[in-house]
Amino acid sequence: MSSKRRVGVLGLGHVGLPTALGFAELGWTVAGTDSDRSKVESVSAGVPPFYEPGLEELLRRHLTSGRFRALPEIGEAVRQSDILFICVGTPHREDGSADLSQVEGAARTVAENLDSYKLIVEKSTAPVMTALWVERAIQRYGNRQHAFEVACNPEFLREGTAVHDFLHPDRIVIGANSERARSWLRELYEPLGRPMLITDRNSAEMIKHASNAFLALKISFINMVSDLCEAAGASAQDIATGLGLDPRIGAHFLQAGIGYGGFCLPKDLKAFIHVAEELGVNFGLLREVERINQGRIDRFVRKVQQALWVLQDKQLAVWGLAFKPQTDDIRDAPSLHVVRRLRQAGASVRLYDPAATQEFRRVFAEEPDRLVYCSSALEAARGAHAVLVLTEWPEFGEMDWKQVRGCVALPIVVDGRNFLDAAALRAEGFEYHRMGEASLVPDGIKI
Ligand code: UDX
């Protein structure tokens, strides 16, 4: 390593912790910190505060190597660092705009602890011109004795593969105003040997919002095509494959189903729409993307109703609560809405998820009636009138359907992610319903 520059990471959540450990893995010395003391304690003890494949191993490795430390005092982390990444949360407010209070809080702490030149890097996803505001905040609240700069380096880490994504990025985007800031960031990422796009700060911020908005748009597009397939008797799966073979379109993010969830896509889309409105640009296309996604829950519940007729007093197994596989995150997960709707319709729900059950139980702690938490997919299926698949965890694809058949009350599966093997299910006598396909019940009636 050519320099001894020290890295600081403010915020040890889904973005901050993989980023901090990723830099440690690249050989840099990193100090991480968070305003949540319990998070800092847990990280210091070698236990990540959330489930992310490969993260615990990396954490333990770099607590041992001494290249990573979690500090309880934010000011100390600031003073001990030359480059500071702001990785705090940017949740959305009621009106869809991004709540930047945590970003401002981080900027003020930096300002109060500025004791030498530092490069402050906005990594959290935030609206265009946030870097400018961070700069102003540090100027306003600081002592003006030390120079600093603010750059933007958006993250593209997916939950479930965040460690891999950090170490093997498709691109690294750097938005900076000075050659010093650009060269410091280039140097930091140099060991990865990946393409870097160097641009101005506004463009870097916009690349992130536009990327997530485009991913959401692809999903809503394929979901509408899937509805059309269902009505016309075409195969949504084959159409996605046919589209994806065109490199101008690309094969990713064309999986039809119950729609996108999670902490990023829904909130970033809202924030992007809000930014456009503030700037006087009518980006109605994105409102439509959002509307289509919200309609997926209805569509799925209707499918369950079509399969079972009446939901009152039915036992339903729900497989998968996390918003996607390999995470315990249920923020804005379709499961939250689906389970509420099923209960409203009078059904009882038997829930199973390999990682997210605890989190789900916490959210539903005040409204636990007609929810049974199960420790395996098979247990959830016991006595169920239908099995509903809401997350494509690999273990659901590897089920022994003969065994499942032996414990359900009715052999009905409704797959919200279109990923189970239809032939294997039908061979065991299951009625199999999926999104984008008219359901054929055994007596040949199309529903
Ligand atoms: C996203 C971006 O992908 C990542 O680059 C960014 O930095 C953070 O936000 P993440 O929130 O982890 O990552 O989830 P992502 O993999 O994008 O999936 C979002 C949602 O879309 C999930 O609910 C997923 O199930 C759904 N999805 C994804 C589909 O419904 N169909 C698809 O084809 C792909």
Side-chain angles (χ1 to χ4, degrees), residues 155-157 159 253-255 260-261 264 323-324 417:
E155 54 88 14
F156 299 101
L157 308 178
E159 288 181 35
F253 276 67
L254 288 177
Q255 181 66 43
Y260 59 80
C264 294
F323 83 97
K324 65 188 246 187
R417 297 294 185 176

Side-chain angles (χ1 to χ4, degrees), residues 6-17:
R6 300 155 307 166
V7 176
V9 174
L10 309 184
L12 294 175
H14 288 272
V15 171
L17 192 54

Side-chain angles (χ1 to χ4, degrees), residues 15 52 125 154-161 165 171 208 211-212 215-216 218-220 222-223 251-266 268 293 322-325 327 329 332-334 390-392 416-417:
V15 171
E52 181 67 47
T125 304
E155 54 88 14
F156 299 101
L157 308 178
R158 292 163 299 175
E159 288 181 35
T161 52
D165 291 349
R171 79 292 210 194
K208 176 58 201 276
S211 295
N212 273 3
L215 292 174
K218 267 188 113 173
I219 298 170
S220 281
I222 200 64
N223 279 331
H252 299 291
F253 276 67
L254 288 177
Q255 181 66 43
I258 46 175
Y260 59 80
F263 188 59
C264 294
L265 256 53
D268 292 350
N293 196 58
F323 83 97
K324 65 188 246 187
T327 176
D329 197 346
D332 235 319
L390 303 189
T391 315
E392 65 277 37
R417 297 294 185 176

